[in-house]
Every structure is written in structure tokens, then in C-alpha cells.
Amino acid sequence: MADTSLLLAPGRVGNVRVGMRVGEVRALFGPALREVTLARGGEEYPAFAVGRVGREKLPALLLEPLCDNGDDDATGAPTDRCRIWRITVRDPRYRTATGLGVGSRYGDVRLGAPLTFVGPTPMGLAATVEAWQMNLLLDADAVEARHLPVRRETIHDTVRVTGVQLYR
């Protein structure tokens, strides 16, 4: 893969890395970076979005900051000192060196990645590759349609990856 700006690698999505300071992210994306609010588990927290993809217009990249004590401002918003701890990719142009990414089939993931876990996560159904610090989010609707228990061996090879998460 010659274009490293679209490369998914451990801790890295193109030019963005897990652990990058929010100030660096703001400088990299400029006005294309949008502040958004995420809601999970009844809690709301800030994040940053870049671009839009698909019919649902999901963020192409979703960057979640984590602030040490005192690094956020008085309202709880992340300052430039906070760091990105998780990146979710929905843009199918981003790929690993072996070609895996959004749109890949589970069968290709199973054969091409050292999976350590397959099952439900807080972000949905995922195939986890700990060595790559990566969750490949799977189309849960396609899996549930088969009415089988969710296990590595019951997920059909044609189920698609709908997102990729990199974490630290």
C-alpha cells in the first residue's frame, strides 16, 4: 500500500495516532474537525468527527479524547492537552497493510488477522485483534438474522465489517 494516509496500523489511522494531543488533531484537520457529543451508557461526553460516509452520514473518523485531571476546561470540554484514546473508522478507503477495513468480510478477517476475541463489546459486535490494538466492528443485524449464538465459529464468513476501532 503506497498511500500511507489511508493506512490502518496499530495505534494509527493515516496521519492520526492514538495518544495524539487534541491540539495536534486540531492543527491537522483545521475547520474539518467537528466537535460532537457521544452518548453511551446514559453518559454524554465530547468527541471529534471528521468527514461523513454512507447513507447514515456517519463520521468517517470519530476521535475520542481522554483528559487527565485538570486537562479539560471548566465545562468538561477537552483542551489541547487532552489525548486521543480511541479512533473509530467508518470510511472504507482506510485499510490495513493486508487489505482489511470497512466492507471486508468476516471470513477474510478470520483468515488474515490473529483474532483474540469475537463477541459483544460496548461498541457492538466485534472481532478483536489485540496485537493490532484493533476492534473490527461487525454487522450485528446480519449475525442476529441467523438466530445462532454469537461465537467465532457461528458468524458467517460473508458478514461485513462496518467499522474499525483503534485503541490504546
Side-chain angles (χ1 to χ4, degrees):
M1 179 177 278
D3 186 359
T4 59
S5 68
L6 297 175
L7 181 65
L8 290 172
R12 181 177 290 277
V13 176
N15 297 323
V16 184
R17 359 173 260 295
V18 173
M20 194 175 213
R21 290 199 183 274
V22 167
E24 294 173 279
V25 171
R26 285 183 171 131
L28 181 64
F29 290 108
L33 188 71
R34 302 183 319 276
E35 292 193 33
V36 297
T37 301
L38 300 181
R40 288 200 194 106
E43 303 251 343
E44 289 187 348
Y45 58 96
F48 299 97
V50 179
R52 288 178 166 52
V53 294
R55 289 189 311 259
E56 299 87 16
K57 299 295 181 196
L58 296 170
L61 300 176
L62 185 66
L63 312 167
E64 296 178 59
L66 184 64
C67 301
D68 290 331
N69 287 337
D71 279 351
D72 51 354
D73 70 13
T75 67
T79 66
D80 287 351
R81 292 184 309 271
C82 299
R83 294 185 181 274
I84 301 301
W85 78 276
R86 180 165 60 189
I87 303 169
T88 303
V89 179
R90 300 287 184 178
D91 187 332
R93 295 176 300 163
Y94 289 90
R95 297 280 164 181
T96 66
T98 58
L100 299 176
V102 173
S104 292
R105 296 174 191 266
Y106 175 71
D108 296 329
V109 170
R110 191 173 44 74
L111 295 173
L115 297 178
T116 49
F117 172 80
V118 177
T121 71
M123 288 297 294
L125 183 62
T128 300
V129 184
E130 286 181 5
W132 299 353
Q133 295 178 315
M134 194 178 292
N135 289 321
L136 295 129
L137 305 174
L138 303 174
D139 182 353
D141 292 339
V143 172
E144 291 167 7
R146 296 190 70 214
H147 304 290
L148 294 171
V150 176
R151 291 194 308 268
R152 185 182 306 231
E153 59 276 357
T154 61
I155 298 174
H156 198 272
D157 282 351
T158 60
V159 170
R160 297 282 183 173
V161 172
T162 59
V164 178
Q165 263 186 347
L166 291 97
Y167 58 87
R168 176 175 283 186

